[in-house]
Amino acid sequence: MTNLAVRLPGLELKNPIMPASGCFGFGREYSSFYDLGKLGAVIMKAATGTGRLGNPTPRVAETASGMLNAIGLQNPGVEKIIENEVPFLGAYDTCIIANIAGSTLEEYEKVASTFNETNLVHALELNISCPNVKEGGIQFGTDPSLAQAVTEIVKKASKLPVYVKLSPNVTNIVEMAKAVEAAGADGLSMINTLTGMQIHLPSRKPLIANKTGGLSGPAIKPVAIRMIYEVKQHVDIPIIGMGGVSNAEDVLEFLLAGASAVAVGTANFSNPYVCPEIIDALPETLERYGFNSVEEAIGKGIMSV
Amino acid sequence: MMIQKENMIIRSVTNIALDTIEMVLENTYISKTAIPGQFLHAAIEGHTLRRPISIADIDQEKETITILFKILGKGTEKLATYQPGMTFDALGPSGNGFQVDNTRATYLLIGGGIGVPPLYYLGKTLAEKKCNIVSILGFQTEENVFYEERFQALGKTFIVTNDGSYGETGFVTDIIEKAGHFDSYFSCGPVPMLKAITSKLPTKPGLISLEERMGCGVGACMACVIPSADGKGYQKICSDGPVFHAQEVSL
Ligand SMILES: Cc1cc2nc3c(=O)[nH]c(=O)nc-3n(C[C@H](O)[C@H](O)[C@H](O)COP(=O)(O)OP(=O)(O)OC[C@H]3O[C@@H](n4cnc5c(N)ncnc54)[C@H](O)[C@@H]3O)c2cc1C
Ligand SMILES: Cc1cc2nc3c(=O)[nH]c(=O)nc-3n(C[C@H](O)[C@H](O)[C@H](O)COP(=O)(O)O)c2cc1C
């Protein structure tokens, strides 16, 4: 029997697969396709201090092997999420990770501490890397000292383990990872989307109303693998990997690069059943490449110098 | 009805107007459950995102669904090369369709270009309920016109082309006066057309069907939204719509 279970701070995962933040709402829509209890965990759509309406449309565009999005963190706000969404997910036998975002340190602190009011959430994913929100203007995700500051504040405000979600839009990803580890992060989550743009020929203007959007999907997988591979060698905290995962082979590749669990985003749009299909295919895939468990494969792709 | 991931078997592919394809698809579940105004979220090989295409007709006995689509970009270009016997998967029936309860009323159908297809299945359903139907169908030019006879079989039909190469000249809104009395209207087409219609008919009850670039197509990703008329937020086109009350959204 192949063992799919993974144990991470705050998370006893029965398997390493979870839908990525923003690609699965709060689970309701996908619960009509399959039992969410099959998933290792669910990462919820970002929560902010108060509700946000998000960006004007168009908010998405298709690219070669991927897509751009600039949703702009549309969400009802942390209180409504705790009241209306968390209990729904809490009824399933799966772990819940709350993705939190904000424009100011105060907003992050408020969202993090508000999640203390429910005992149904198992961990926080601290989104310091959303490229699609302009207000506030502070780019927590690209400045190591700001990333450190927001991590410290959220750690202090929350009783839950904190996984900091890193932005790939930086020159030195290892520096960012080390900064948030030093600030007390319990884990990392990587990668968020890569900032991109598409120009619509008939109108001669950027297609996405926000002008830029975040690139996701298979196109970004090699970037994610490279960054996880680099970071894994310099930090001791576990990594939840993501970026272009669409099948069990991709999951194994992320494990080999150093991820301990894997989130699936854009692939849910092409195939709403992608997560359960990956979970079903994972034992056979691990066996085929000589592994008896998920934990055995973590970091095995890293060549010692 | 619940959205399912269904296998669509292509039964026929016909070129019915300029860059316009009519495709008849066989599928039991969708043919039995879909209502007018709902759509298929079609997976096209080699594409990350699915393509939303309206249900233009259904034959419940033969268990077929007809779609009509315009070749506009890479995805529809690829779909147009699919041959009878081939299959593709689609999520459906997707979205909230046209709710029609009143029988024996007079309805005006106003379609623009590739917004015409969902109105056909709607018109057929209304005709079965013994409603009076008047249709105004707008196209760019004569070569783009399709389904004229089919709409005529449902009731009085005006064709209007922007350049006057066929039927009346101008925009659908130029013809509304000629349509005579109607109780309410149903419309689908480009946003500028819907805007012109809703501002011309501010007090008439009407339902409009909207288009926007979609992600998941099931209501989870918040890509395809339209501001609510009350200014208090957004509605999701894929799952709250694509059909809305004309006064419910801010175009
Ligand atoms: C609810 C709904 C029903 C529709 N019904 C029909 C129909 O019956 N017949 C028909 O011909 N067309 C219909 N459309 C429009 C159709 O979805 C687009 O023309 C099609 O997706 C274009 O794909 P493409 O790959 O050829 O174009 P590309 O420009 O290459 O597509 C790139 C991306 O943009 C999206 N996109 C581009 N144009 C549109 C558009 N107008 N609306 C939504 N997404 C778009 C595509 O889905 C894709 O994700 C409908 C749209 C919606 C939202
Ligand atoms: C439509 C959409 C919305 C997203 N929303 C969020 C979000 O709210 N918070 C967040 O941390 N990441 C968000 N992401 C990023 C994903 O969680 C993920 O990091 C990224 O898409 C890479 O994974 P993928 O290639 O499997 O999609 C979003 C991505 C998409 C495509």
Side-chain angles (χ1 to χ4, degrees):
Chain A
M1 261 298 281
T2 319
N3 185 3
L4 297 186
V6 186
R7 195 176 236 186
L8 299 177
L11 305 168
E12 297 269 346
L13 306 175
K14 60 184 134 190
N15 64 63
I17 305 303
M18 55 190 85
S21 181
C23 301
F24 207 73
F26 300 97
R28 280 180 201 278
E29 293 78 16
Y30 289 92
S31 71
S32 70
F33 290 104
Y34 60 89
D35 174 9
L36 303 184
K38 177 134 194 177
L39 299 166
V42 172
I43 311 180
M44 297 191 291
K45 172 78 190 161
T48 50
T50 49
R52 291 213 191 173
L53 296 179
N55 292 325
T57 59
R59 293 177 170 185
V60 292
E62 192 179 63
T63 66
S65 296
M67 64 179 285
L68 292 169
N69 90 81
I71 306 295
L73 298 181
Q74 181 177 347
N75 82 96
V78 61
E79 268 127 21
K80 290 220 173 83
I81 290 172
I82 291 173
E83 191 184 321
N84 304 324
E85 309 294 345
V86 171
F88 172 83
L89 274 175
Y92 290 94
D93 175 24
T94 189
C95 293
I96 303 176
I97 302 175
N99 182 283
I100 67 169
S103 314
T104 59
L105 287 173
E106 294 71 37
E107 188 177 8
Y108 275 107
E109 186 175 19
K110 181 199 159 179
V111 182
S113 63
T114 311
F115 272 113
N116 290 333
E117 290 165 16
T118 166
N119 51 19
L120 295 172
V121 171
H122 299 84
L124 298 183
E125 180 180 51
L126 171 55
N127 177 4
I128 56 168
S129 49
C130 186
N132 299 326
V133 180
K134 291 223 176 68
E135 68 253 51
I138 308 172
Q139 273 292 6
F140 294 99
T142 50
D143 178 329
S145 56
L146 285 174
Q148 193 158 352
V150 69
T151 306
E152 276 165 7
I153 279 180
V154 167
K155 272 301 289 176
K156 210 175 280 167
S158 177
K159 58 178 192 192
L160 296 169
V162 176
Y163 293 77
V164 180
K165 185 160 183 179
L166 300 182
S167 166
N169 302 308
V170 295
T171 337
N172 190 342
I173 190 76
V174 172
E175 188 189 11
M176 295 299 299
K178 283 181 166 169
V180 301
E181 183 183 42
D186 299 276
L188 300 171
S189 165
M190 55 194 290
I191 57 175
N192 209 320
T193 53
L194 288 140
T195 305
M197 184 186 277
Q198 187 174 109
I199 295 184
H200 183 239
L201 301 185
S203 67
R204 307 176 183 180
K205 293 197 180 92
L207 193 151
I208 293 207
N210 185 54
K211 297 195 188 83
T212 60
L215 181 64
S216 64
I220 71 167
K221 199 185 83 179
V223 178
I225 296 288
R226 185 265 292 177
M227 289 188 160
I228 292 167
Y229 187 97
E230 286 178 0
V231 164
K232 181 67 182 174
Q233 298 171 70
H234 293 95
V235 299
D236 294 320
I237 48 179
I239 300 170
I240 300 174
M242 67 203 70
V245 173
S246 47
N247 55 47
E249 280 78 12
D250 293 341
V251 171
L252 177 54
E253 199 178 338
F254 274 81
L255 296 175
L256 293 173
S260 298
V262 172
V264 183
T266 304
N268 290 288
F269 304 164
S270 326
N271 175 12
Y273 292 98
V274 67
C275 290
E277 285 176 9
I278 288 176
I279 293 164
D280 288 341
L282 200 50
E284 209 246 351
T285 305
L286 287 166
E287 272 165 44
R288 189 162 3 113
Y289 292 95
F291 297 103
N292 293 314
S293 71
V294 166
E295 292 199 325
E296 221 177 83
I298 298 167
K300 285 292 172 351
I302 299 173
M303 289 166 59
S304 47
V305 260
Chain B
M1 259 332 215
M2 246 177 57
I3 299 176
Q4 293 193 13
K5 182 160 161 266
E6 289 289 315
N7 190 40
M8 314 301 294
I9 307 167
I10 301 172
R11 286 301 171 214
S12 71
V13 182
T14 318
N15 200 321
I16 56 162
L18 181 70
D19 294 333
T20 309
I21 307 290
E22 178 193 68
M23 210 177 243
V24 178
L25 310 166
E26 194 178 309
N27 179 276
T28 305
Y29 178 71
I30 291 174
S31 69
K32 299 284 186 234
T33 54
I35 66 162
Q38 289 188 302
F39 66 94
L40 300 180
H41 209 27
I44 298 174
E45 211 196 311
H47 288 274
T48 303
L49 297 177
R50 289 169 176 269
R51 300 306 194 258
I53 308 281
S54 302
I55 292 169
D57 197 11
I58 282 185
D59 185 327
Q60 291 205 347
E61 263 164 44
K62 290 191 186 144
E63 301 189 344
T64 58
I65 299 101
T66 302
I67 57 172
L68 297 171
F69 63 90
K70 187 130 201 151
I71 301 172
L72 281 177
K74 291 266 155 36
T76 46
E77 199 177 295
K78 173 101 191 177
L79 187 59
T81 66
Y82 287 16
Q83 296 299 309
M86 288 170 69
T87 62
F88 63 87
D89 91 59
L91 304 182
S94 296
N96 278 309
F98 292 103
Q99 297 293 344
V100 283
D101 323 304
N102 289 351
T103 48
R104 268 181 256 143
T106 298
Y107 291 109
L108 181 62
L109 308 182
I110 315 169
I114 206 62
V116 169
L119 297 180
Y120 181 63
Y121 185 41
L122 172 67
K124 243 178 70 168
T125 309
L126 291 171
E128 277 161 19
K129 297 188 180 205
K130 307 268 178 285
C131 298
N132 276 322
I133 297 156
V134 181
S135 306
I136 305 174
L137 311 178
F139 298 93
Q140 270 166 5
T141 63
E142 178 175 16
E143 313 149 282
N144 291 282
V145 177
F146 59 86
Y147 269 37
E148 182 183 7
E149 305 76 32
R150 299 216 189 194
F151 277 90
Q152 265 164 358
L154 304 175
K156 190 162 177 56
T157 300
F158 299 88
I159 304 287
V160 46
T161 52
N162 300 154
D163 67 349
S165 53
Y166 191 83
E168 316 258 350
T169 307
F171 298 100
V172 292
T173 36
D174 302 330
I175 312 299
I176 293 178
E177 279 83 12
K178 295 191 189 171
H181 163 82
F182 59 94
D183 298 298
S184 68
Y185 68 91
F186 297 104
S187 187
C188 182
V191 169
M193 180 194 101
L194 296 176
K195 243 181 175 159
I197 293 168
T198 52
S199 51
K200 188 158 184 153
L201 303 171
T203 55
K204 279 274 182 199
L207 294 176
I208 55 175
S209 180
L210 301 178
E211 281 185 9
E212 186 50 77
R213 285 167 193 259
M214 287 184 180
C216 66
V218 299
C221 79
M222 308 289 168
C224 61
V225 297
I226 178 100
S228 310
D230 63 12
K232 283 196 189 142
Y234 285 102
Q235 307 260 15
K236 299 188 251 186
I237 291 179
C238 67
S239 57
D240 299 327
V243 175
F244 294 96
H245 286 283
Q247 320 308 338
E248 181 185 3
V249 288
S250 166
L251 294 173

